[in-house]
Amino acid sequence: MDQTVRAGHDGADTVIAVDDLRMTYGTVEVLRGVSFAARRGEVIALLGPNGAGKTTTIEILEGFRLRSAGAVSVLGVDPANGTEDWRARLGIVLQSWRDHGRWRVRDLLAHFGEYYAPFASPQQKRPRDADELIAMVGLAEHAGKKIATLSGGQRRRLDVAIGLIGRPDLLFLDEPTTGFDPAARTGFHEVVQRLAGEESTTILLTTHDLAEAEKLASRILILAGGRIVADGSAAELSRRVSGQTEVRWTRAGEAFRHATPDATRFVRDLFAEHGDAIADLEVRRATLEDTYLTIVRQHDEGGEAAAVDAFEGAA
Amino acid sequence: MSAASHAVRLGLKRGWIEFSQSLKASQDIGFNIFMAGGVLLYLFFNRNETIEGSDLLLPALVVPGILGGLVAFSLILGPAFQIAIEREDGTLLRAKAIPHGMVGYVIGQVVLHTLGILPLFVIILLPSLFLFDGATPGDFAGWLTLVAVLAVGVLATMPWGLMLGSVARGPRGVSTWGMLPVIGLLVISGVFYPITAMAGWLQVIAQIFPVYWLGLGMRSAFLPDEAAAIEIGESWRTLETFGVLGVWAVIGLALAPIVLRRMARRESGSAVEARRQQALQRVG
């Protein structure tokens, strides 16, 4: 492709590269200079309040929406000029579908799978086996059912299966687990971890479930006010925001708590001093939820400058 | 095998699957029975009515006219409503997310709605064979004409249905900009009674559009040559029939890919979501 964009963070393993992406609807600036990159096999969670521009960002990367400015490269191609060969390497799970109610689960999945057959290569078998995939997302007993009769959560799992049928190199998941029960959610998390681990699928997901983001994502991006205001692992983000980890323990029946920037050293010293007298030890880093809320609040109060400073200062 | 021609084949298969689904769907069966039942009742109660200026019975004249009208009705409004609905429910976006999925989708629509007129044809024609005299083509040439008129009629109408569904603002838009005009044309196009009973200026308007010519072409297939006496110009005007339908087909086929591509380009998750919100507001 001669349309390849070289956007900032470059490298052979770079799957997504976004540099100073801007999007304006009329006079409203939705994205005001978004930059980030994703490497092969990374799972990235894109978080942010409603209206922060998450869906707009994903739609630009998917080639469904034309950006106003900035450089974007997805699998080495500018999505604005993405061909069908390029599209065959993407898997897309959007927010809401209510389609194909008359089709049966297995029929629809197999039908969509067939579109990917011409894009197979010896290294990349396409499509995936429909029945295996149905089992993988936990729909085996519903394979022969009409889609209109599925529950919301079952339908969502079918959406995920359709996103995976072409064995994508890059998977976009926009709020994939809405309507999942806890068992389905755990099953879905296993699927994502397996894809990223065994098949090196790169995954970009949005979610409002921060525990999910923490569990799945190797990196978390927080989008607020049209900019990325945080980029790092859950642990990194929490360190940068609070700078403190809370350690709790009991000694001789008495409870203690202490906040420290270096919990490991503190605990080592604690044991050196008191040894077996220490019980009920807990090391509690700020959860992603605490971190997220702090960042979004900082952003709302002080404008994005304060939030960005909070990170860059601590980094 | 190119991926695009592969997608065309998948579209044919998709159309066939959706046609089979439609044969079993109670909603579609109900619609067909309702339409055919209405037509057959109208014919039955007027079975002994003769047409002024000829010795033809009303069913003989009206069965082909109505079949022609149904082609226009089904092939303009069928795809238009379905595309408008499926832009709302995310079917089109799903197709867009798949390599060459839009090609498969559009071919699927063409196959589905072309085959979709067959059940109605069968349940109107079969009883007519037994109930009414002369309400089916009299000879082999007549059947050939029927197939030829059908073929060019499908091409003259379907692209406009596809385009209407692509530009309409939801199913409501199709009702306003598609359903009302098509019903209007059916009324003035001599489908239910000879067009010569209409005011002259209405006859002129009717002859611009494909509905009248579809009806005329079907009558030329079904009726004996003498019956042309009650038509405009006392002739079947075969050349004009294929000419006018052909012009609609050529223009439609030239424009449809442009309009469909433009629609496809604009589909996005947020567009679907916005339409969904609008639809919810209408209900609420």
Side-chain angles (χ1 to χ4, degrees):
Chain A
M1 296 284 129
D2 38 9
Q3 310 286 2
T4 305
V5 178
R6 297 276 169 221
H9 334 258
D10 203 11
D13 263 359
T14 305
V15 173
I16 302 176
V18 178
D19 191 30
D20 200 27
L21 171 62
R22 287 163 191 277
M23 187 71 197
T24 312
Y25 297 111
T27 57
V28 185
E29 254 190 314
V30 180
L31 300 178
R32 302 191 287 175
V34 168
S35 302
F36 69 94
R39 288 186 311 275
R40 201 164 110 91
E42 262 192 309
V43 180
I44 296 187
L46 185 59
L47 309 180
N50 287 331
K54 299 189 296 286
T55 298
T56 301
T57 303
I58 287 205
E59 284 185 356
I60 290 169
L61 298 180
E62 289 164 343
F64 282 179
R65 191 170 280 284
L66 290 180
R67 61 185 181 274
S68 306
V72 178
S73 162
V74 172
L75 295 168
V77 172
D78 181 343
N81 305 310
T83 59
E84 301 296 310
D85 296 82
W86 171 77
R87 182 154 297 293
R89 300 174 62 198
L90 303 182
I92 293 177
V93 177
L94 289 169
Q95 269 186 31
S96 65
W97 307 98
R98 296 167 295 146
D99 56 312
H100 290 93
R102 285 180 180 177
W103 286 69
R104 293 180 194 280
V105 171
R106 184 190 291 112
D107 295 347
L108 185 65
L109 199 52
H111 172 70
F112 281 151
E114 287 185 73
Y115 285 86
Y116 292 90
F119 302 97
S121 66
Q123 305 86 36
Q124 202 84 324
K125 253 187 72 192
R126 289 187 164 116
R128 242 178 248 276
D129 181 80
D131 283 309
E132 264 174 41
L133 194 50
I134 287 171
M136 186 161 128
V137 299
L139 284 177
E141 60 196 288
H142 307 289
K145 277 196 185 165
K146 275 193 191 157
I147 291 168
T149 66
L150 297 183
S151 74
Q154 289 163 352
R155 221 184 153 110
R156 204 74 194 114
R157 280 186 266 164
L158 173 61
D159 290 337
V160 172
I162 292 173
L164 293 174
I165 188 72
R167 201 180 295 276
D169 298 327
L170 170 61
L171 178 63
F172 294 103
L173 298 164
D174 205 354
E175 299 188 12
T177 52
T178 314
F180 277 30
D181 60 33
R185 191 175 294 260
T186 308
F188 170 75
H189 292 169
E190 281 164 13
V191 168
V192 168
Q193 282 161 343
R194 203 176 118 190
L195 288 172
E198 292 170 19
E199 306 195 15
S200 297
T201 310
T202 309
I203 299 172
L204 180 61
L205 71 102
T206 72
T207 179
H208 284 297
D209 180 344
L210 297 167
E212 178 171 279
E214 190 162 12
K215 186 172 169 193
L216 293 180
S218 48
R219 244 170 71 216
I220 287 163
L221 305 177
I222 299 179
L223 191 59
R227 289 214 173 102
I228 303 280
V229 296
D231 180 349
S233 70
E236 282 167 354
L237 296 195
S238 83
R239 265 203 308 279
R240 286 186 210 171
V241 169
S242 74
Q244 303 275 315
T245 304
E246 192 178 74
V247 182
R248 299 180 196 195
W249 70 97
T250 61
R251 184 161 54 85
E254 198 183 340
F256 296 89
R257 62 168 62 185
H258 177 78
T260 169
D262 187 352
T264 312
R265 170 175 289 271
F266 180 82
V267 172
R268 198 189 307 124
D269 294 346
L270 193 68
F271 278 105
E273 194 177 330
H274 302 288
D276 284 349
I278 304 293
D280 300 325
L281 179 74
E282 264 181 65
V283 177
R284 188 176 173 278
R285 200 185 292 130
T287 61
L288 181 57
E289 190 163 341
D290 301 333
T291 310
Y292 171 81
L293 291 174
T294 309
I295 291 170
V296 172
R297 203 177 312 118
Q298 279 172 349
H299 173 81
D300 286 347
E301 284 165 3
E304 71 271 13
V308 169
D309 288 348
F311 280 101
E312 285 169 356
Chain B
M1 175 188 66
S2 86
S5 63
H6 179 69
V8 169
R9 262 201 302 284
L10 291 176
L12 297 175
K13 193 168 155 188
R14 179 185 172 84
W16 175 254
I17 291 174
E18 295 206 320
F19 174 63
S20 321
Q21 288 167 350
S22 147
L23 289 179
K24 287 177 242 162
S26 48
Q27 203 188 350
D28 296 13
I29 296 171
F31 175 80
N32 284 340
I33 289 178
F34 175 79
M35 293 288 278
V39 167
L40 289 170
L41 276 179
Y42 171 71
L43 296 174
F44 188 75
F45 285 117
N46 296 290
R47 64 188 178 283
N48 295 322
E49 194 89 7
T50 51
I51 301 296
E52 213 183 301
S54 77
D55 49 7
L56 283 173
L57 290 174
L58 180 132
L61 186 81
V62 168
V63 166
I66 282 182
L67 292 180
L70 277 176
V71 171
F73 187 84
S74 307
L75 290 180
I76 294 173
L77 298 180
F81 271 116
Q82 191 164 351
I83 291 177
I85 289 168
E86 294 190 339
R87 281 165 66 210
E88 245 170 37
D89 74 15
T91 306
L92 269 118
L93 193 55
R94 180 94 77 188
K96 193 180 166 179
I98 288 170
H100 296 294
M102 273 297 180
V103 173
Y105 176 82
V106 172
I107 301 288
Q109 285 291 300
V110 169
V111 172
L112 168 64
H113 293 287
T114 307
L115 294 177
I117 54 176
L118 293 179
L120 257 180
F121 263 53
V122 170
I123 49 181
I124 290 175
L125 270 179
L126 266 187
S128 299
L129 264 174
F130 300 105
L131 291 174
F132 317 117
D133 279 342
T136 50
D139 52 18
F140 183 68
W143 285 102
L144 272 187
T145 313
L146 169 72
V147 171
V149 171
L150 268 181
V152 71
V154 167
L155 293 176
T157 51
M158 168 111 60
W160 298 96
L162 295 171
M163 284 190 270
L164 184 59
S166 304
V167 299
R169 287 186 157 203
R172 263 197 172 182
V174 176
S175 299
T176 313
W177 301 106
M179 186 109 124
L180 293 180
V182 169
I183 289 178
L185 282 176
L186 285 173
V187 170
I188 64 167
S189 292
V191 166
F192 302 100
Y193 34 79
I195 191 173
T196 40
M198 290 280 157
W201 62 276
L202 281 177
Q203 292 184 32
V204 171
I205 291 175
Q207 289 180 74
I208 298 172
F209 293 97
V211 179
Y212 166 75
W213 298 98
L214 260 163
L216 179 66
M218 296 298 269
R219 283 194 294 280
S220 80
F222 279 62
L223 297 173
D225 286 345
E226 317 76 273
I230 55 165
E231 300 290 347
I232 296 172
E234 295 178 24
S235 149
W236 292 129
R237 295 195 286 170
T238 306
L239 210 61
E240 289 92 329
T241 300
F242 284 97
V244 175
L245 291 176
V247 167
W248 278 94
V250 167
I251 299 174
L253 289 170
L255 289 180
I258 300 168
V259 173
L260 287 169
R261 235 177 256 133
R262 203 181 81 115
M263 177 271 293
R265 212 171 35 239
R266 291 181 169 196
E267 283 304 300
S268 71
S270 20
V272 170
E273 185 56 26
R275 283 196 290 266
R276 197 171 78 103
Q277 291 303 333
Q278 236 176 6
L280 286 175
Q281 273 170 3
R282 281 204 298 266
V283 175

